[in-house]
Amino acid sequence: DGNVRLTTRKDIKEVQLDDGSSPGTGHSALAAEVLRKVEGLERRYQEDLNRGFAALSEGEFKGLRRQLPVTRQKVEWEKVGGYRLGQDIGGGRSR
C-alpha cells in the first residue's frame, strides 16, 4: 500500500435538455432529467477510469515495481546510510 493521489479532469460536451415547455412538465421533471443526465455522464466517466486503471495495473505499474532482486536478508536500518546499493545489501563484491 502507498499513498497515491489522482486528480482528473474531463471536459463534457453540452448536453441537450428538455426545456420543460411540454404540457405537464415542470421544475421537478426538469430537475429529474438533469439528475439522469449527470448520473449517466458520471457513470461513463467512472467506467472510463476503471478501464484506465485496469490497463495501468496490467502494464505500467509492473514497470514501477522493484528492479533489484529480493535477497530475503534483513536490513540493518542503523547502518542503511553506509550501504552501497547492490553491494552491501545484495552481498556483491566491491569494485
Side-chain angles (χ1 to χ4, degrees):
D1 288 339
N3 294 326
V4 177
R5 182 176 177 173
L6 175 67
T7 303
T8 62
R9 176 186 167 111
K10 177 154 177 102
D11 294 323
I12 304 294
K13 297 184 300 184
E14 189 173 314
V15 177
Q16 186 67 33
L17 296 174
D18 179 20
D19 63 2
S21 61
S22 302
T25 60
H27 295 295
S28 61
L30 182 60
E33 183 179 357
V34 169
L35 183 61
R36 276 192 306 275
K37 296 284 186 178
V38 169
E39 286 174 339
L41 291 168
E42 285 184 350
R43 183 177 46 255
R44 284 192 293 277
Y45 181 55
Q46 288 296 324
E47 289 169 354
D48 289 345
L49 282 176
N50 288 339
R51 279 191 292 276
F53 286 137
L56 278 175
S57 67
E58 292 171 4
E60 298 298 322
F61 280 142
K62 288 182 182 177
L64 296 175
R65 290 190 180 142
R66 176 193 312 265
Q67 297 298 312
L68 296 173
V70 178
T71 63
R72 303 276 186 219
Q73 295 177 357
K74 291 187 179 183
V75 174
E76 297 180 42
W77 290 105
E78 310 81 49
K79 300 179 184 178
V80 77
Y83 283 137
R84 291 181 307 276
L85 191 62
Q87 293 174 357
D88 291 344
I89 294 176
R93 291 176 289 190
S94 317
R95 292 184 185 203

